[in-house]
Amino acid sequence: MESLTACPPWLLDEGAALLSRSSSGRLPHALLLSGVDGIGKRAFAQWLSESLLCREPNRSMQTGVRLGACGECESCRQLLADSHPDYKKLVPEGANAAIKVDPIRALVEWLQLTASQGSYRIALLEQADTLNRSAANSLLKTLEEPSDHAVLILSATKLGALPATIRSRCQKITLKMSDPALALDWLKDQVNDPEAALIEAGGGPFLAVENSSDENLASQELLLKAWQDLFLHKGSVGRISDSLSDLDTSLCLATFSRWCLLAAKQRQMLEIGVNPAVKQVLSETQERLKIEQWFTLYDRLLQLHRSDSASFKTQTVLEGLFADIRIMTNG
Ligand SMILES: [Zn+2]
């Protein structure tokens, strides 16, 4: 049997704070959840919705504070059956993966109706940064004059891509890693090397799990080959960047920056918890740059990753970078 969503352990405090605001009638009508890729925005939003809709929420024995959904009441059973009348979720659709105006109009109308079970009527908008302009405009009215029971939960990684008019009408909540030990413990049954996987994923545990999928392991193989050819001067920069053209730019930059850090470290550091294939390639290429140069390269990769380079074609971003690496490793 399916089960309700668990709150990611590193977000429990944030979750408890919101549930306690709900208990005292101070839950904002619109929440905007942000945070790095893979921090758990989707799971958190889902868990929060389920907890708010539950009729018999679990409570702390000591404080009486709401802790989450019971999983057994009628509301929870409807959520499990995907048939809850007061809960809707919109995700980006179509070729350009956007949230479009028609579904938003329907959602806005639906939100005006009275909650059929008397508590909240909750709408989730995943990847709200993909709202197109007319969809955003349609949403605005609901944000300006929310009905009493309506709760809108938006999640977005690129906050800047959301119109300021939307952002300013939502209560912004940045989801953060409260304690990395909690994430490592959560990861230990899901990935081989939690510590390395979490670093590689830029601190997003859900991304770390996604990275260890078969598809991503195949990408890692391509990246390793490219790294090796690049630093050992096998083949042209054009051919190497071409070999990565199907991969996501962020993935390339994130992986390479992690390897730079590993390469910069002492040989014995490299022994700890690194995948053997990566270890092999890094030890072959480690001598190609001095420690300071590895850090310089690492900084450059981070900068590229943080800038909007992810929206350019992978090949364009990588070609310039690779040409410079070839120059650095010429001496
Ligand atoms: Zn329940």
Side-chain angles (χ1 to χ4, degrees):
M1 189 185 140
E2 279 210 63
S3 54
L4 290 174
T5 315
C7 182
W10 54 93
L11 301 176
L12 275 169
D13 289 348
E14 195 69 71
L18 283 168
L19 292 185
S20 113
R21 290 176 73 173
S22 155
S23 301
S24 54
R26 293 178 296 115
L27 189 73
H29 284 290
L31 295 169
L32 172 55
L33 307 176
S34 68
V36 297
D37 270 338
I39 193 71
K41 297 184 283 293
R42 190 176 311 173
F44 185 80
Q46 195 118 5
W47 168 82
L48 181 64
S49 310
E50 291 165 359
S51 305
L52 291 172
L53 289 169
C54 174
R55 292 183 189 177
E56 308 278 343
N58 298 324
R59 290 179 189 275
S60 154
M61 300 284 261
Q62 284 89 29
T63 60
V65 170
R66 289 171 81 124
L67 295 176
C70 71
E72 283 161 17
C73 71
E74 196 191 343
S75 172
C76 285
R77 285 203 304 271
Q78 286 171 326
L79 283 165
L80 284 168
D82 212 8
S83 65
H84 201 294
D86 294 326
Y87 174 72
K88 275 198 195 308
K89 178 162 87 174
L90 283 191
V91 295
E93 339 167 82
N96 53 356
I99 298 181
K100 303 200 179 79
V101 67
D102 287 343
I104 286 287
R105 282 203 186 116
L107 188 81
V108 164
E109 230 165 85
W110 174 81
L111 270 174
Q112 314 289 344
L113 302 173
T114 310
S116 59
Q117 298 189 0
S119 65
Y120 295 112
R121 180 152 270 215
I122 300 181
L124 278 192
L125 258 67
E126 280 182 5
Q127 294 172 261
D129 39 10
T130 66
L131 275 167
N132 70 23
R133 186 190 292 264
S134 42
N137 284 339
S138 286
L139 191 61
L140 215 50
K141 199 160 159 44
T142 300
L143 291 172
E144 279 163 349
E145 301 158 15
S147 49
D148 277 347
H149 49 271
V151 179
L152 202 57
I153 305 178
L154 285 69
S155 69
T157 302
K158 293 182 195 141
L159 278 188
L162 267 174
T165 44
I166 301 258
R167 270 180 285 148
S168 64
R169 285 168 176 80
C170 296
Q171 168 97 43
K172 282 183 273 299
I173 294 176
T174 310
L175 299 179
K176 294 193 203 83
M177 178 54 62
S178 62
D179 178 0
L182 294 171
L184 294 176
D185 190 55
W186 182 84
L187 280 169
K188 74 177 192 293
D189 298 325
Q190 310 188 68
V191 303
N192 282 334
D193 181 354
E195 213 157 326
L198 191 59
I199 295 171
E200 183 156 337
F206 283 85
L207 188 59
V209 172
E210 198 186 310
N211 284 348
S212 65
S213 70
D214 287 346
E215 188 190 335
N216 280 292
L217 291 176
S219 307
Q220 167 155 312
E221 214 167 292
L222 282 178
L223 285 163
L224 266 181
K225 174 87 172 76
W227 176 279
Q228 200 173 27
D229 290 352
L230 183 64
F231 283 95
L232 301 180
H233 290 226
K234 293 181 194 161
S236 71
V237 161
R239 208 259 310 141
I240 298 171
S241 57
D242 201 37
S243 73
L244 304 177
S245 58
D246 288 340
L247 303 187
D248 185 54
T249 317
S250 293
L251 174 72
C252 297
L253 296 173
T255 307
F256 278 2
S257 54
R258 169 171 140 71
W259 291 348
C260 274
L261 263 199
L262 286 172
K265 288 176 180 170
Q266 301 299 317
R267 223 163 253 287
Q268 65 267 33
M269 292 283 289
L270 207 52
E271 302 300 321
I272 308 166
V274 177
N275 161 319
V278 174
K279 206 186 291 184
Q280 170 69 32
V281 170
L282 288 184
S283 61
E284 281 172 27
T285 51
Q286 195 176 28
E287 306 289 322
R288 303 293 297 170
L289 293 179
K290 297 195 185 78
I291 291 182
E292 314 83 72
Q293 288 179 305
W294 283 118
F295 282 116
T296 309
L297 186 56
Y298 172 71
D299 286 339
R300 164 119 189 245
L301 284 159
L302 271 196
Q303 248 171 25
L304 274 172
H305 197 196
R306 285 197 195 118
S307 72
D308 209 18
S309 58
S311 59
F312 295 111
K313 273 192 72 177
T314 302
Q315 240 170 316
T316 321
V317 176
L318 295 185
E319 252 182 39
L321 177 74
F322 289 178
D324 290 349
I325 291 178
R326 275 286 165 86
I327 295 168
M328 285 171 90
T329 50
N330 247 342

mmCIF file of all heavy atoms in Angstrom, residues 263-288:
data_model
loop_
_atom_site.group_PDB
_atom_site.id
_atom_site.type_symbol
_atom_site.label_atom_id
_atom_site.label_comp_id
_atom_site.label_asym_id
_atom_site.label_seq_id
_atom_site.Cartn_x
_atom_site.Cartn_y
_atom_site.Cartn_z
ATOM 1 N N ALA A 263 40.874 16.339 -6.547
ATOM 2 C CA ALA A 263 42.217 16.323 -7.126
ATOM 3 C C ALA A 263 43.161 17.223 -6.332
ATOM 4 O O ALA A 263 44.355 16.955 -6.235
ATOM 5 C CB ALA A 263 42.167 16.761 -8.590
ATOM 6 N N ALA A 264 42.621 18.282 -5.768
ATOM 7 C CA ALA A 264 43.447 19.224 -5.024
ATOM 8 C C ALA A 264 43.879 18.649 -3.682
ATOM 9 O O ALA A 264 44.850 19.088 -3.087
ATOM 10 C CB ALA A 264 42.680 20.530 -4.814
ATOM 11 N N LYS A 265 43.169 17.661 -3.216
ATOM 12 C CA LYS A 265 43.480 17.115 -1.896
ATOM 13 C C LYS A 265 44.654 16.150 -1.958
ATOM 14 O O LYS A 265 45.047 15.675 -3.007
ATOM 15 C CB LYS A 265 42.242 16.416 -1.329
ATOM 16 C CG LYS A 265 41.179 17.415 -0.907
ATOM 17 C CD LYS A 265 39.945 16.683 -0.447
ATOM 18 C CE LYS A 265 38.872 17.691 -0.033
ATOM 19 N NZ LYS A 265 37.599 17.018 0.194
ATOM 20 N N GLN A 266 45.175 15.851 -0.812
ATOM 21 C CA GLN A 266 46.302 14.918 -0.720
ATOM 22 C C GLN A 266 45.897 13.523 -1.170
ATOM 23 O O GLN A 266 44.730 13.159 -1.126
ATOM 24 C CB GLN A 266 46.800 14.851 0.731
ATOM 25 C CG GLN A 266 47.252 16.164 1.291
ATOM 26 C CD GLN A 266 48.408 16.759 0.517
ATOM 27 O OE1 GLN A 266 49.325 16.035 0.162
ATOM 28 N NE2 GLN A 266 48.351 18.033 0.230
ATOM 29 N N ARG A 267 46.890 12.769 -1.572
ATOM 30 C CA ARG A 267 46.646 11.422 -2.054
ATOM 31 C C ARG A 267 45.849 10.570 -1.060
ATOM 32 O O ARG A 267 44.912 9.881 -1.427
ATOM 33 C CB ARG A 267 47.977 10.744 -2.353
ATOM 34 C CG ARG A 267 47.975 9.973 -3.627
ATOM 35 C CD ARG A 267 49.388 9.689 -4.071
ATOM 36 N NE ARG A 267 49.767 10.506 -5.213
ATOM 37 C CZ ARG A 267 49.303 10.310 -6.437
ATOM 38 N NH1 ARG A 267 48.438 9.375 -6.689
ATOM 39 N NH2 ARG A 267 49.692 11.070 -7.432
ATOM 40 N N GLN A 268 46.198 10.653 0.226
ATOM 41 C CA GLN A 268 45.488 9.803 1.196
ATOM 42 C C GLN A 268 44.025 10.222 1.358
ATOM 43 O O GLN A 268 43.172 9.401 1.639
ATOM 44 C CB GLN A 268 46.198 9.761 2.569
ATOM 45 C CG GLN A 268 46.254 11.066 3.317
ATOM 46 C CD GLN A 268 47.549 11.802 3.018
ATOM 47 O OE1 GLN A 268 48.074 11.697 1.914
ATOM 48 N NE2 GLN A 268 48.068 12.526 3.981
ATOM 49 N N MET A 269 43.747 11.518 1.156
ATOM 50 C CA MET A 269 42.368 11.993 1.240
ATOM 51 C C MET A 269 41.532 11.350 0.148
ATOM 52 O O MET A 269 40.351 11.093 0.299
ATOM 53 C CB MET A 269 42.312 13.509 1.072
ATOM 54 C CG MET A 269 42.920 14.285 2.204
ATOM 55 S SD MET A 269 41.812 14.319 3.634
ATOM 56 C CE MET A 269 40.536 15.419 2.986
ATOM 57 N N LEU A 270 42.170 11.115 -0.970
ATOM 58 C CA LEU A 270 41.479 10.563 -2.119
ATOM 59 C C LEU A 270 41.009 9.127 -1.853
ATOM 60 O O LEU A 270 40.139 8.618 -2.525
ATOM 61 C CB LEU A 270 42.443 10.588 -3.311
ATOM 62 C CG LEU A 270 41.852 10.673 -4.706
ATOM 63 C CD1 LEU A 270 40.883 11.823 -4.800
ATOM 64 C CD2 LEU A 270 42.960 10.840 -5.723
ATOM 65 N N GLU A 271 41.618 8.520 -0.839
ATOM 66 C CA GLU A 271 41.271 7.125 -0.553
ATOM 67 C C GLU A 271 39.890 6.997 0.098
ATOM 68 O O GLU A 271 39.286 5.951 0.076
ATOM 69 C CB GLU A 271 42.320 6.495 0.388
ATOM 70 C CG GLU A 271 43.748 6.517 -0.144
ATOM 71 C CD GLU A 271 43.882 5.768 -1.467
ATOM 72 O OE1 GLU A 271 43.245 4.717 -1.600
ATOM 73 O OE2 GLU A 271 44.614 6.252 -2.346
ATOM 74 N N ILE A 272 39.441 8.045 0.736
ATOM 75 C CA ILE A 272 38.210 7.926 1.525
ATOM 76 C C ILE A 272 36.961 8.000 0.649
ATOM 77 O O ILE A 272 36.687 9.009 0.022
ATOM 78 C CB ILE A 272 38.115 9.057 2.586
ATOM 79 C CG1 ILE A 272 39.399 9.102 3.408
ATOM 80 C CG2 ILE A 272 36.909 8.860 3.478
ATOM 81 C CD1 ILE A 272 39.539 10.366 4.218
ATOM 82 N N GLY A 273 36.242 6.924 0.640
ATOM 83 C CA GLY A 273 34.897 6.891 0.070
ATOM 84 C C GLY A 273 34.717 7.453 -1.318
ATOM 85 O O GLY A 273 33.693 8.063 -1.602
ATOM 86 N N VAL A 274 35.686 7.307 -2.203
ATOM 87 C CA VAL A 274 35.473 7.765 -3.575
ATOM 88 C C VAL A 274 35.331 6.538 -4.471
ATOM 89 O O VAL A 274 36.039 5.552 -4.316
ATOM 90 C CB VAL A 274 36.655 8.642 -4.051
ATOM 91 C CG1 VAL A 274 36.477 9.048 -5.503
ATOM 92 C CG2 VAL A 274 36.773 9.868 -3.178
ATOM 93 N N ASN A 275 34.408 6.618 -5.390
ATOM 94 C CA ASN A 275 34.171 5.558 -6.353
ATOM 95 C C ASN A 275 35.491 5.175 -7.040
ATOM 96 O O ASN A 275 36.247 6.049 -7.460
ATOM 97 C CB ASN A 275 33.097 6.125 -7.287
ATOM 98 C CG ASN A 275 32.995 5.421 -8.605
ATOM 99 O OD1 ASN A 275 33.984 5.068 -9.234
ATOM 100 N ND2 ASN A 275 31.765 5.241 -9.029
ATOM 101 N N PRO A 276 35.811 3.870 -7.140
ATOM 102 C CA PRO A 276 37.120 3.429 -7.650
ATOM 103 C C PRO A 276 37.454 3.971 -9.044
ATOM 104 O O PRO A 276 38.610 4.333 -9.297
ATOM 105 C CB PRO A 276 36.992 1.906 -7.683
ATOM 106 C CG PRO A 276 35.887 1.576 -6.756
ATOM 107 C CD PRO A 276 34.977 2.749 -6.721
ATOM 108 N N ALA A 277 36.452 4.036 -9.929
ATOM 109 C CA ALA A 277 36.725 4.525 -11.289
ATOM 110 C C ALA A 277 37.137 5.993 -11.251
ATOM 111 O O ALA A 277 38.063 6.422 -11.945
ATOM 112 C CB ALA A 277 35.483 4.347 -12.161
ATOM 113 N N VAL A 278 36.465 6.763 -10.390
ATOM 114 C CA VAL A 278 36.790 8.184 -10.257
ATOM 115 C C VAL A 278 38.194 8.317 -9.654
ATOM 116 O O VAL A 278 39.013 9.117 -10.120
ATOM 117 C CB VAL A 278 35.755 8.909 -9.363
ATOM 118 C CG1 VAL A 278 36.164 10.345 -9.099
ATOM 119 C CG2 VAL A 278 34.373 8.852 -10.003
ATOM 120 N N LYS A 279 38.459 7.499 -8.649
ATOM 121 C CA LYS A 279 39.760 7.541 -7.979
ATOM 122 C C LYS A 279 40.883 7.277 -8.999
ATOM 123 O O LYS A 279 41.896 7.963 -9.029
ATOM 124 C CB LYS A 279 39.782 6.461 -6.890
ATOM 125 C CG LYS A 279 40.732 6.769 -5.765
ATOM 126 C CD LYS A 279 40.821 5.618 -4.795
ATOM 127 C CE LYS A 279 39.536 5.430 -3.994
ATOM 128 N NZ LYS A 279 39.664 4.355 -2.991
ATOM 129 N N GLN A 280 40.664 6.274 -9.828
ATOM 130 C CA GLN A 280 41.649 5.887 -10.836
ATOM 131 C C GLN A 280 41.960 7.056 -11.777
ATOM 132 O O GLN A 280 43.114 7.436 -11.965
ATOM 133 C CB GLN A 280 41.089 4.681 -11.623
ATOM 134 C CG GLN A 280 41.859 4.294 -12.869
ATOM 135 C CD GLN A 280 43.219 3.723 -12.513
ATOM 136 O OE1 GLN A 280 43.358 3.081 -11.463
ATOM 137 N NE2 GLN A 280 44.216 3.975 -13.342
ATOM 138 N N VAL A 281 40.903 7.647 -12.329
ATOM 139 C CA VAL A 281 41.096 8.740 -13.284
ATOM 140 C C VAL A 281 41.714 9.964 -12.599
ATOM 141 O O VAL A 281 42.596 10.623 -13.151
ATOM 142 C CB VAL A 281 39.755 9.109 -13.968
ATOM 143 C CG1 VAL A 281 39.880 10.389 -14.775
ATOM 144 C CG2 VAL A 281 39.296 7.962 -14.851
ATOM 145 N N LEU A 282 41.287 10.235 -11.383
ATOM 146 C CA LEU A 282 41.847 11.397 -10.684
ATOM 147 C C LEU A 282 43.332 11.192 -10.373
ATOM 148 O O LEU A 282 44.120 12.135 -10.479
ATOM 149 C CB LEU A 282 41.066 11.687 -9.396
ATOM 150 C CG LEU A 282 39.672 12.279 -9.587
ATOM 151 C CD1 LEU A 282 39.039 12.599 -8.247
ATOM 152 C CD2 LEU A 282 39.707 13.536 -10.446
ATOM 153 N N SER A 283 43.702 9.967 -10.022
ATOM 154 C CA SER A 283 45.129 9.781 -9.711
ATOM 155 C C SER A 283 45.974 9.865 -10.984
ATOM 156 O O SER A 283 47.122 10.270 -10.943
ATOM 157 C CB SER A 283 45.369 8.494 -8.932
ATOM 158 O OG SER A 283 44.966 7.395 -9.701
ATOM 159 N N GLU A 284 45.381 9.518 -12.122
ATOM 160 C CA GLU A 284 46.110 9.654 -13.390
ATOM 161 C C GLU A 284 46.312 11.115 -13.789
ATOM 162 O O GLU A 284 47.244 11.444 -14.502
ATOM 163 C CB GLU A 284 45.331 8.990 -14.537
ATOM 164 C CG GLU A 284 45.450 7.489 -14.615
ATOM 165 C CD GLU A 284 44.478 6.923 -15.651
ATOM 166 O OE1 GLU A 284 44.131 7.645 -16.610
ATOM 167 O OE2 GLU A 284 44.062 5.772 -15.473
ATOM 168 N N THR A 285 45.374 11.966 -13.357
ATOM 169 C CA THR A 285 45.390 13.348 -13.848
ATOM 170 C C THR A 285 45.812 14.368 -12.796
ATOM 171 O O THR A 285 46.030 15.536 -13.116
ATOM 172 C CB THR A 285 43.990 13.747 -14.370
ATOM 173 O OG1 THR A 285 43.024 13.431 -13.364
ATOM 174 C CG2 THR A 285 43.638 13.001 -15.638
ATOM 175 N N GLN A 286 45.932 13.900 -11.547
ATOM 176 C CA GLN A 286 46.182 14.808 -10.426
ATOM 177 C C GLN A 286 47.424 15.678 -10.595
ATOM 178 O O GLN A 286 47.433 16.848 -10.235
ATOM 179 C CB GLN A 286 46.317 13.963 -9.165
ATOM 180 C CG GLN A 286 46.217 14.740 -7.888
ATOM 181 C CD GLN A 286 46.258 13.792 -6.694
ATOM 182 O OE1 GLN A 286 46.850 12.716 -6.773
ATOM 183 N NE2 GLN A 286 45.640 14.194 -5.620
ATOM 184 N N GLU A 287 48.491 15.094 -11.180
ATOM 185 C CA GLU A 287 49.755 15.804 -11.310
ATOM 186 C C GLU A 287 49.727 16.880 -12.399
ATOM 187 O O GLU A 287 50.678 17.641 -12.540
ATOM 188 C CB GLU A 287 50.882 14.811 -11.659
ATOM 189 C CG GLU A 287 51.001 13.634 -10.703
ATOM 190 C CD GLU A 287 51.539 14.073 -9.349
ATOM 191 O OE1 GLU A 287 52.419 14.955 -9.346
ATOM 192 O OE2 GLU A 287 51.066 13.553 -8.321
ATOM 193 N N ARG A 288 48.674 16.906 -13.177
ATOM 194 C CA ARG A 288 48.629 17.844 -14.307
ATOM 195 C C ARG A 288 48.535 19.298 -13.847
ATOM 196 O O ARG A 288 48.895 20.204 -14.578
ATOM 197 C CB ARG A 288 47.438 17.526 -15.235
ATOM 198 C CG ARG A 288 47.438 16.118 -15.766
ATOM 199 C CD ARG A 288 48.579 15.854 -16.714
ATOM 200 N NE ARG A 288 48.491 16.681 -17.919
ATOM 201 C CZ ARG A 288 49.442 16.802 -18.827
ATOM 202 N NH1 ARG A 288 50.582 16.156 -18.665
ATOM 203 N NH2 ARG A 288 49.265 17.557 -19.886
#
